[in-house]
Amino acid sequence: MYEADLQKLDTAVACLLRQESFATTIGRLKSALAESKEAFVWSTVPLDAIRCGLPAGIKSCWIFHLRKDVPSGCHFHPNSVQHMVMVAGQGLSIVDGTRRPMVSFASSENSLTDKWYVIGQGVPHEFIPEGVDMTVVSFHTCEASALEEIACATGGKRLYEGQDA
């Protein structure tokens, strides 16, 4: 992904973070995670709610809220490129076998390519929140109703079907 596209995504996330509906969704996800035994919960964001231009090819937007100290589980998306940034929390990423600390969206000391993960179709990845819950915004190149996730360890398939957790 080109830097101009990352800049558009960065601007889109900044717009989302200023919206009251985003804060409301985060509050709902935090409550849902507290009541769940799952490693994470999610909600989709309608693209028309993002009041700035998105790069060509972006077809869905998601907010994931991950449980502290619980790995997301290694998985890949066979039908989408994922563009993701951490907006709250801290943790580690493992993308295609490379482990690194995650950089906050709010960081002014890091480049866009340090903050943003562009994860190719079929590339294994996992995120591990450390000490606190983690919230990420994720853009995909497939429609919300089509997003597939394949677990690396078992080959198990999840279809998100665009529904909230």
Side-chain angles (χ1 to χ4, degrees):
M1 173 157 276
Y2 297 103
E3 184 132 350
D5 288 337
L6 287 180
Q7 185 59 58
K8 284 181 181 180
L9 291 174
D10 210 63
T11 300
V13 170
C15 290
L16 281 173
L17 289 172
R18 290 191 298 269
Q19 293 178 11
E20 186 176 323
S21 60
F22 185 86
T24 300
T25 299
I26 295 298
R28 185 174 52 78
L29 290 174
K30 286 179 179 181
S31 294
L33 188 64
E35 296 172 13
S36 172
K37 294 185 189 300
E38 298 296 323
F40 59 89
V41 293
W42 70 90
S43 180
T44 57
V45 178
L47 292 184
D48 61 4
I50 303 170
R51 299 182 186 109
C52 14
L54 293 171
I58 297 297
K59 295 187 177 156
S60 62
C61 178
W62 304 73
I63 304 165
F64 288 91
H65 190 67
L66 296 83
R67 187 178 308 280
K68 71 177 183 175
D69 302 322
V70 178
S72 65
C74 184
H75 63 279
F76 64 91
H77 305 287
N79 65 336
S80 182
V81 175
Q82 179 175 344
H83 311 78
M84 192 200 79
V85 68
M86 180 180 68
V87 296
Q90 61 189 30
L92 293 173
S93 66
I94 305 171
V95 177
D96 205 16
T98 300
R99 185 180 189 104
R100 70 177 174 120
M102 295 182 71
V103 175
S104 173
F105 173 78
S107 173
S108 59
E109 299 174 9
N110 296 90
S111 71
L112 290 174
T113 55
D114 288 337
K115 293 190 257 187
W116 279 91
Y117 288 85
V118 180
I119 305 166
Q121 199 168 313
V123 173
H125 56 281
E126 178 172 27
F127 302 99
I128 307 164
E130 294 182 317
V132 295
D133 291 348
M134 177 191 298
T135 305
V136 301
V137 175
S138 185
F139 294 91
H140 281 270
T141 58
C142 71
E143 300 288 339
S145 61
L147 183 61
E148 294 179 44
E149 175 183 292
I150 307 295
C152 295
T154 65
K157 180 178 177 180
R158 178 197 316 235
L159 287 173
Y160 281 89
E161 301 179 320
Q163 298 176 15
D164 295 343

